[in-house]
Structure formats: C-alpha cells, structure tokens
Amino acid sequence: MLAIFNKGVMNPPEELHSPASLTSPRKPKLSEEICKDFVDSHPSNTFLISLKNAASLAYVPPQNPYSSSKRLFCGIDNIYCIFMGSLNNLSHLNKQYGLSKGSNEAMFVIEAYRTLRDRGPYPAHQVLTDLDGSFGFMVYDSKAGSVFAALGSIANEEVRLFWGIAGDGSVVISHDLEIIKAGCAKSFAPFPTGCMFHSEQGLMSFEHPGSQMKPMPRIDSEGVICGANFKVDVQSRMTTTMPRVGSEANWALSGNSLV
C-alpha cells in the first residue's frame, strides 16, 4: 500500500524532515517517481488512483488471498480507504454501525469515519480503542481534502507503516520500507504504533490521548540523523481539547467538511 499526499494536504511533524536529505548523495525523489517505483515493483497487480493533484493511492492485493492479514481498498462517496490487517470484532462493529454482515474492514473504517464526521461529536481515539486486532489504515476524504491515518498497537512484519517526505514536499506513507527509503532519502521514520494522524490536529496517541508525542532523533548506520521516531511522553499532558470528529472548533477544514 502507498499513499502520497501533496504538500499542504498533510502537514507532518517538522522533525520528520531531515536536513541531511539535502546533502545526501541519494536525493529524495518526486512523488511521481515514487509512484512509478511502487508500480514497477508490483507490475502485474497494482491499482493506482490519483485524486485532483492532491493525493495518489496505490494498492496491491496480498500474495496469499487466504492470509489472516488482509489488504483492502475501498472508495465510497469520495472517501477512500486502504486497510491492512484484520479486526477480530468486525462482526460486532458492523452491527454497531448498521453495516451488512458482508462488509469488510475498509468499508467499516469509511463508515466509522463518516459517522464521526457527520454525527459527532465523539472522540476519535475512543473509536480506535474499540478496534480489536492488528490494523493500519489510511483514509482520504477528497471532498474535504482531509487525511486520517492510524496504526494499531499490535504491529508486525505484515502490518506496519512508514512515512517520509518526498523531494517535492509531499508526504509518503507505505508498508514498503524500501520504497520509503529510496523515495525519501534521509527523511523518513516508522509510523508510531498506537497512534493516529489527522489533518487538523496532527499526530497523537489514541492509547494515551492526553499525552504529547515526543520526537526522538533517529540515527542511521552512517551516524546521520534520519527524521525522528515519535514516542508518547506519558509524563506530559496536552493543554488543548481532545479532537472530536464533527467538532467545528477542532476539525473544521472548510465550511462543514470535517475530519
């Protein structure tokens, strides 16, 4: 899975960008080059969609269709979701949100997002803590121009995310570490587990929603700072109101388009 959000659509923490990318022999690539690299690495079965010069989403089905760790893509009413992993309580969640029994995890995430956006206010972190399983997802609301991404606390080789900064300032998120390394040079890091990112409030922990995220400089094998790992500072407390999807004060992006 690959998602690229043009500069201004998604504003990541400043610490993700490493000045070493400017002086490194391996320069960060443009977003178009990164998309091409991803498609070329999966030439037979990659699905790629570009959305109004604001975002590009690419999806590759799992090699083993019977794997317990799924990869799913779904688009409903200008909201797009790429999901990987699996939810053990999907049947219960589908019933809770009024979805059919056949709805998959990506469909559920979109419905949960729409419910939070349109019928809130509910704290977004509360919805994520209700998810039982190993999961990572990216949601892009093309009408609102909003991004919502999360990675569960249970991460493994099949369910993991990395993010970085492309040469044109776009934000790149993918499960493929090699694509991130090649495309973002020194400006990349693992996406932190138990955390979510949304366009208005940025990066936060949904497991410890009252605590701030602390950037920790990440040093590579060459001794160069490469972005930052983000950890929960459990000793800190946020002074701002917890973000609630559907709350205009915290989530409004334009009119009544809310994350």
Side-chain angles (χ1 to χ4, degrees):
M1 59 191 293
L2 173 73
I4 299 179
F5 302 103
N6 292 2
K7 187 176 182 180
V9 175
M10 181 176 179
N11 298 306
E14 293 182 4
E15 294 84 0
L16 188 61
H17 186 278
S18 171
S21 287
L22 301 176
T23 58
S24 172
R26 186 182 67 197
K27 303 298 182 183
K29 298 180 179 181
L30 300 178
S31 54
E32 293 85 355
E33 296 177 277
I34 298 173
C35 280
K36 184 179 183 301
D37 288 347
F38 188 84
V39 172
D40 289 346
S41 65
H42 308 279
S44 62
N45 58 353
T46 301
F47 172 77
L48 173 66
I49 181 172
S50 295
L51 301 165
K52 299 180 180 179
N53 296 319
S56 296
L57 305 175
Y59 158 77
V60 179
Q63 293 183 345
N64 179 6
Y66 303 104
S67 171
S68 59
S69 182
K70 307 169 188 175
R71 291 182 193 169
L72 304 166
F73 176 86
C74 184
I76 301 173
D77 296 336
N78 297 311
I79 303 171
Y80 302 88
C81 176
I82 304 178
F83 180 95
M84 61 181 183
S86 61
L87 297 178
N88 301 323
N89 59 339
L90 179 61
S91 296
H92 171 75
L93 293 169
N94 283 340
K95 184 177 180 180
Q96 180 181 343
Y97 282 81
L99 295 172
S100 67
K101 293 181 179 180
S103 298
N104 62 33
E105 281 89 345
M107 295 175 183
F108 161 74
V109 169
I110 288 180
E111 183 60 28
Y113 167 85
R114 291 199 300 184
T115 299
L116 289 169
R117 183 193 64 182
D118 300 336
R119 306 176 195 171
Y122 299 109
H125 67 268
Q126 183 175 326
V127 174
L128 294 177
T129 55
D130 287 341
L131 307 187
D132 177 18
S134 179
F135 64 89
F137 66 78
M138 293 172 285
V139 172
Y140 179 61
D141 185 338
S142 62
K143 187 175 181 180
S146 305
V147 178
F148 185 35
L151 181 63
S153 57
I154 305 173
N156 53 45
E157 288 299 311
E158 293 185 324
V159 182
R160 59 181 186 168
L161 289 176
F162 302 90
W163 59 344
I165 309 297
D168 54 11
S170 299
V171 179
V172 185
I173 306 178
S174 181
H175 76 288
D176 191 327
L177 177 58
E178 296 308 313
I179 290 291
I180 292 287
K181 281 183 177 180
C184 302
K186 300 293 185 179
S187 296
F188 75 93
F191 192 94
T193 58
C195 291
M196 66 181 189
F197 179 96
H198 56 81
S199 294
E200 184 66 14
Q201 291 293 323
L203 181 68
M204 66 176 291
S205 168
F206 62 80
E207 294 184 317
H208 304 280
S211 298
Q212 297 177 349
M213 299 297 297
K214 183 177 182 180
M216 308 291 291
R218 193 172 62 85
I219 310 298
D220 68 5
S221 59
E222 301 173 349
V224 177
I225 295 178
C226 297
N229 290 322
F230 296 90
K231 306 291 185 182
V232 179
D233 185 356
V234 295
Q235 302 301 321
S236 68
R237 299 297 299 177
M238 282 187 170
T239 58
T240 57
T241 304
M242 285 295 97
R244 293 173 181 266
V245 177
S247 170
E248 294 185 8
N250 293 319
W251 293 74
L253 298 178
S254 59
N256 61 352
S257 297
L258 309 172
V259 178

